[in-house]
Amino acid sequence: MAGTPEEARPSGRPRTGRRTGRRAGRQRIGVSAPAYLVREIPPYEILSEDGLARIEAATDRILAEVGIEIRGDDEAIRLFRESGASVAGDRLRFEPGHLREILMSAPREFTQVARNPARSVQIGGRNTAMAPAYGSPFVIDIDGGRRYGTIEDFRNFVRLAYMAPWLHHSGGTVCEPVDLPVNKRHLDMVHAHMTLSDKAYMGSVTAPERAEDCIAMSRILFGADFLEHNCVILGNVNVNSPLVWDGMTTQVLRAYARANQGTVVVPFILGGAMGPVTNAGAIAQSIGEAMVGCALTQLERPGAPCVLGNFLSSTALKSGSPTFGTPEPAVGSLVVGQLVRRLGLPLRCSGSFTTSKRADAQAMSESAMSMLAAIQCGANFLLHSAGFLDGLLSMSYEKFVLDVDFCGALHAYARGVPVDDNQLALDAFAEVGPGHHFFGSAHTLANYETAYWDSDLADTDPWETWRDRGSLDAATRANARWKALLAAYRPPPIDPATEEALYAFIDRRKAGMPDAWH
């Protein structure tokens, strides 16, 4: 596995930002890009007012008649009971309008501040922040095949995300480093995000004490007072669909909200397994489950930033296997976008979904469908933008850079069609006239550097040139690309005292508990 040209510290820790100030101008190869995407195209309004109202009514009936269980978090149940929910044991029921009223205190838009302020992302409104895929236990590349992820793989993907101009966010668990103890790996993962990149990042959600560790490390990086008034870290929490919130998860959610940090609240619905096979029913369920989680953040701390997430997917009903990147969940995302805008919350939706096991045509066609739906539904936070393979079981090096390239194309797509004197090009028509070409016109020469998005990976050469250069397919070109990016990587500078304080915290926390592997 190719790594980076860095030398490891004697303790085995990666060299991060020391003595790198003189190299700051060579941190990336390729083009520059905005800190986040501002969509100039409007979201696609696919469903009528009547259709939206019927789904909202179905959500209200699910919440009021069936209800949702919170298992193992008495404090969360107490907060909901005091807000007016009906509680019977672990089962909570909500009258129509109850959760919507609670959610009125949630911000419609917020800033997640990055270590480098120029890379802070605005979440909500017309803005979209793209982040890598999340949670895969395996990694894949065409040299070594499929294998369990390691901390070095994790660091490599953080480096690649830092180098990727079209990714705005470092992400979270970009792959599981299974070579580290379960109860300690979050410390190394968050440290990698903090030191190998200066983009915004996510924290651990596997246990409340691990979430607290990530918040504590963020206080070291940014300052405790700063966190009281600014969001610097996100926690992505999942519902146990159908209609169950695990108490461990709600405690994590409350920990982030209590610290005024952001939560992304996401049902994970495989149609036919954790939800109905029909789109409208799955959407109604998903919205209801997520509203409960988002409302809990506001009961814990009114005004805490939260993102209503959605992960619709399907099932191969002949086999029961999950499928990703299929058309029904993609079009369902458009409806979710409409409903979440009516709630006034930021939205997380879709990603580069695929069930393919290779970075091939299936992988990219399924991912393109899902990502286009995410842009068109108005998603504000786009987790799983790069690297998703094998139904999210594997993080792929080649797919990562192919997806990043497509994210660049989406930046151009989302700009829409500007209309001004330069874009209308009437002077060019006057200069060129009938029957002549525009290659040498003044208008072409003035616009050629910015007129079209330029792929880093697509082959546009004539057949003979492509043949003479080795007849390389996209996956082979992507293999060379990620290796070149890692070879060119240089870490962003970080204050040495801050770095040492982070190491001291990590060492103290690791020394205070035995290794646990499950």
Side-chain angles (χ1 to χ4, degrees):
M1 171 57 57
T4 72
E6 304 171 330
E7 295 294 329
R9 293 177 59 157
S11 62
R13 297 165 175 159
R15 188 180 298 279
T16 54
R18 289 172 189 246
R19 299 181 294 278
T20 58
R22 67 183 184 276
R23 299 181 297 186
R26 294 190 285 122
Q27 289 172 359
R28 296 185 303 185
I29 58 177
V31 298
S32 61
Y36 52 90
L37 172 63
V38 179
R39 301 183 309 277
E40 299 297 336
I41 58 174
Y44 188 36
E45 304 284 339
I46 186 174
L47 208 58
S48 67
E49 173 62 30
D50 178 66
L52 295 172
R54 292 193 66 180
I55 291 178
E56 288 175 333
T59 295
D60 287 342
R61 286 192 62 182
I62 293 168
L63 292 171
E65 298 176 14
V66 181
I68 285 183
E69 293 187 359
I70 297 179
R71 300 176 180 173
D73 187 353
D74 292 340
E75 175 63 13
I77 293 174
R78 183 191 69 80
L79 289 170
F80 275 122
R81 179 187 292 112
E82 292 185 356
S83 78
S86 172
V87 178
D90 293 338
R91 184 78 63 93
L92 290 80
R93 293 178 174 86
F94 306 90
E95 290 300 314
H98 181 183
L99 295 177
R100 288 181 176 83
E101 183 176 352
I102 296 172
L103 290 170
M104 290 178 67
S105 64
R108 301 180 72 92
E109 190 171 333
F110 66 94
T111 301
Q112 185 184 359
V113 180
R115 179 160 74 86
N116 178 353
R119 297 184 184 273
S120 298
V121 293
Q122 194 74 7
I123 299 176
R126 292 164 44 226
N127 311 304
T128 297
M130 297 180 178
Y134 181 111
S136 301
F138 299 100
V139 297
I140 290 178
D141 66 77
I142 61 178
D143 303 310
R146 188 180 192 249
R147 62 195 181 280
Y148 280 109
T150 67
I151 188 59
E152 189 56 25
D153 288 309
F154 185 96
R155 290 167 178 158
N156 277 343
F157 282 114
V158 171
R159 293 164 180 135
L160 289 171
Y162 172 66
M163 297 284 283
W166 309 115
L167 291 181
H168 316 106
H169 200 282
S170 194
T173 306
V174 288
C175 70
E176 279 287 351
V178 300
D179 55 334
L180 299 181
V182 170
N183 62 330
K184 298 179 180 180
R185 65 180 60 156
H186 64 287
L187 299 165
D188 295 275
M189 290 192 288
V190 173
H191 178 265
H193 284 301
M194 289 178 166
T195 58
L196 301 179
S197 175
D198 59 8
K199 295 182 179 181
Y201 59 90
M202 307 178 79
S204 176
V205 295
T206 52
E209 63 272 17
R210 296 168 199 165
E212 296 283 6
D213 282 343
C214 298
I215 294 166
M217 292 174 68
S218 297
R219 291 190 176 112
I220 293 171
L221 187 64
F222 288 91
D225 291 341
F226 192 83
L227 263 68
E228 272 298 301
H229 305 286
N230 298 275
C231 174
V232 305
I233 186 170
L234 297 179
N236 184 83
V237 297
N238 289 116
V239 186
N240 282 16
S241 303
L243 305 177
V244 173
W245 273 97
D246 180 82
M248 189 73 74
T249 303
T250 55
Q251 290 177 63
V252 166
L253 181 152
R254 292 193 296 106
Y256 280 107
R258 188 164 54 249
N260 198 34
Q261 300 307 296
T263 48
V264 187
V265 179
V266 192
F268 181 8
I269 297 179
L270 293 173
M274 293 109 82
V277 296
T278 48
N279 231 345
I283 292 167
Q285 172 191 342
S286 177
I287 293 292
E289 290 176 339
M291 285 173 65
V292 171
C294 290
L296 183 55
T297 69
Q298 300 309 296
L299 294 178
E300 183 69 36
R301 179 164 176 165
C306 64
V307 178
L308 193 151
N310 188 75
F311 195 116
L312 292 176
S313 195
S314 51
T315 305
L317 297 177
K318 292 180 180 179
S319 67
S321 297
T323 53
F324 298 90
T326 50
E328 293 84 3
V331 75
S333 296
L334 303 177
V335 178
V336 170
Q338 289 180 270
L339 292 167
V340 175
R341 283 191 293 278
R342 287 156 74 98
L343 285 171
L345 295 174
L347 168 67
R348 179 206 143 183
C349 215
S350 294
S352 291
F353 294 171
T354 181
T355 319
S356 180
K357 313 308 181 288
R358 293 174 180 257
D360 57 9
Q362 176 189 339
M364 296 312 296
S365 64
E366 290 174 345
S367 292
M369 177 171 289
S370 296
M371 285 293 282
L372 278 170
I375 293 297
Q376 291 171 333
C377 80
N380 303 115
F381 184 66
L382 244 175
L383 199 60
H384 303 310
S385 292
F388 190 118
L389 205 65
D390 185 22
L392 193 54
L393 290 175
S394 300
M395 187 74 165
S396 163
Y397 280 85
E398 286 79 26
K399 177 77 163 22
F400 187 95
V401 294
L402 288 166
D403 286 337
V404 166
D405 203 53
F406 186 64
C407 288
L410 289 174
H411 278 66
Y413 182 86
R415 284 200 298 268
V417 181
V419 179
D420 57 29
D421 288 347
N422 178 63
Q423 293 292 321
L424 290 169
L426 293 178
D427 289 345
F429 287 104
E431 177 188 348
V432 173
H436 299 284
H437 66 72
F438 285 74
F439 280 127
S441 72
H443 182 267
T444 299
L445 294 174
N447 287 275
Y448 79 96
E449 290 184 318
T450 58
Y452 301 119
W453 169 75
D454 193 13
S455 170
D456 287 324
L457 286 171
D459 178 84
T460 56
D461 290 329
W463 171 274
E464 293 79 10
T465 305
W466 170 78
R467 177 199 61 203
D468 293 346
R469 290 179 175 172
S471 306
L472 303 180
D473 62 15
T476 305
R477 296 194 298 271
N479 180 266
R481 175 69 177 169
W482 68 258
K483 291 175 180 176
L485 286 167
L486 288 181
Y489 169 82
R490 296 294 182 270
I494 185 171
D495 175 65
T498 300
E499 186 178 19
E500 289 305 320
L502 288 169
Y503 280 133
F505 177 87
I506 292 169
D507 290 344
R508 184 170 65 254
R509 289 292 293 134
K510 287 184 176 181
M513 52 184 162
D515 291 353
W517 292 96
H518 58 82

